[in-house]
Amino acid sequence: MNCRHNKELEYFVTEAKKVTDKGKVASYIPALAELSEDDLSAAVYFTDGTCISAGDVEKAFTLQSISKVLSLALVLIDHGPEKVFHYVGQEPTGDPFNSIIKLETVNPGKPLNPMINAGALVVTSMIKGETNADKIGRLLDFIKKLANNRSITVCGKVAESEFETSMVNRAMCYYMKEHGIFQAEVEDVMDVYTKQCAIEMNSLDLAKIGSVFALNGKHPETGEQIIPKDIARICKTFMVTCGMYNASGEFAIKIGIPAKSGVSGGIMGLSPYRFGIGIFGPSLDEKGNSIAGIRLLELLSANYSLSIF
Ligand code: GLU
């Protein structure tokens, strides 16, 4: 992709990098512990097809929770909102992404929203396909279309590392299965889910996917309406209410754009009609968001008046 290195963006990246040592890389998925703490890169893909970048934007990372927005879009296209929201709610939780508590205390078995792990696992269980390979293949094809990049793949090492260690996610699956939220085999859902989280791309790809949401589902390069407008709207709304874990409220006040983060340190954000932004900074704050990524967005939002509110 033709993306120009930009001095102004580089300045903000250098400023934001100063906070990387206040965070930590995720280590509960063993393969993620190998990421280097002081990395920070950003790409901004404008809806007119121009692109600017700063830092090592070719470096690949896994999507982790960012994939939750994309699997949600696919499943909403496949089944429609009514069916999907029968199984997963639409309310923020205020709890950490992998919390199990509200599964038991509120509306037993039905997760509160699709951006927390419990909700995302339900969404993954709804991806259409005969086999696990068909399901992950369909999601991957959809993501390749969004990034307009055929070379995006699943990182086998990260997928395997999470599959072998992800016991809390399994526990949530069994709890939901007990309550009839899904019928699928837990190990099959975990197989597809861990591969979905391990889909790997770089900040440029992520910025481009953000720009598709900025244009309400229409691809700025190909002109194709990949996500129907009403579904893109639902996804963006979840990004605002639940996209930055249990820091989403503060993020909405301080930065004010739809965004979704993942524990590998990625953030996908967008400014409606203007651009998508992809950030990679693996050092995380205590809520699980890229610490320097948030700082960078704070600087950009203040300097370019990005808040939608
Ligand atoms: N694969 C991760 C998990 O389920 C995703 C978490 C995240 O990025 O928030 O724990």
Side-chain angles (χ1 to χ4, degrees), residues 28-29 64-65 68 97 117 162 169 193 197 245 261-263:
Y28 77 98
I29 298 173
Q64 299 304 328
S65 272
K68 291 171 180 169
F97 64 96
N117 283 8
E162 183 174 10
N169 284 339
Y193 175 76
C197 290
Y245 306 118
S261 66
V263 289

Side-chain angles (χ1 to χ4, degrees), residues 11-57:
Y11 167 78
F12 290 121
V13 165
T14 309
E15 273 305 296
K17 247 189 173 186
K18 292 179 183 162
V19 301
T20 51
D21 63 349
K22 296 195 173 66
K24 273 200 208 75
V25 301
S27 54
Y28 77 98
I29 298 173
L32 293 184
E34 295 164 21
L35 296 172
S36 70
E37 202 143 282
D38 54 355
D39 262 351
L40 184 64
S41 65
V44 180
Y45 192 84
F46 294 96
T47 50
D48 67 0
T50 56
C51 177
I52 56 171
S53 69
D56 185 4
V57 283

Side-chain angles (χ1 to χ4, degrees), residues 26 28-29 32 62-68 96-98 115-118 120-121 158 162 166 168-169 172 190 193-198 243 245 260-266 284 287-289:
Y28 77 98
I29 298 173
L32 293 184
T62 58
L63 287 179
Q64 299 304 328
S65 272
I66 302 170
S67 69
K68 291 171 180 169
F97 64 96
N98 56 357
M115 299 294 114
I116 49 171
N117 283 8
L121 287 158
V158 172
E162 183 174 10
S166 200
V168 177
N169 284 339
M172 290 194 274
M190 287 303 300
Y193 175 76
T194 49
K195 287 182 176 140
Q196 153 187 335
C197 290
Y245 306 118
K260 181 74 201 90
S261 66
V263 289
S264 58
L284 307 180
K287 301 266 171 80
N289 291 309

Side-chain angles (χ1 to χ4, degrees), residues 164-280:
E164 279 164 9
T165 52
S166 200
M167 298 309 152
V168 177
N169 284 339
R170 279 186 175 81
M172 290 194 274
C173 283
Y174 280 111
Y175 192 84
M176 292 189 288
K177 196 169 154 80
E178 163 85 19
H179 287 275
I181 299 289
F182 62 73
Q183 272 73 46
E185 289 306 321
V186 170
E187 290 306 299
D188 287 337
V189 177
M190 287 303 300
D191 179 35
V192 181
Y193 175 76
T194 49
K195 287 182 176 140
Q196 153 187 335
C197 290
I199 291 174
E200 193 173 45
M201 64 177 67
N202 62 33
S203 325
L204 300 171
D205 297 311
L206 199 56
K208 203 179 273 188
I209 297 179
S211 74
V212 177
F213 284 102
L215 283 184
N216 304 315
K218 189 173 166 172
H219 204 291
E221 262 177 337
T222 64
E224 190 186 343
Q225 187 76 39
I226 301 177
I227 305 170
K229 210 172 162 181
D230 58 324
I231 291 178
R233 182 182 55 79
I234 295 172
C235 294
K236 280 187 290 182
T237 313
F238 275 123
M239 288 190 229
V240 169
T241 56
C242 325
M244 305 301 285
Y245 306 118
N246 44 335
S248 299
E250 191 182 339
F251 184 87
I253 290 170
K254 280 199 184 148
I255 293 153
I257 62 168
K260 181 74 201 90
S261 66
V263 289
S264 58
I267 302 179
M268 174 179 79
L270 63 109
S271 175
Y273 304 102
R274 291 162 79 184
F275 62 77
I277 182 165
I279 298 175
F280 175 53

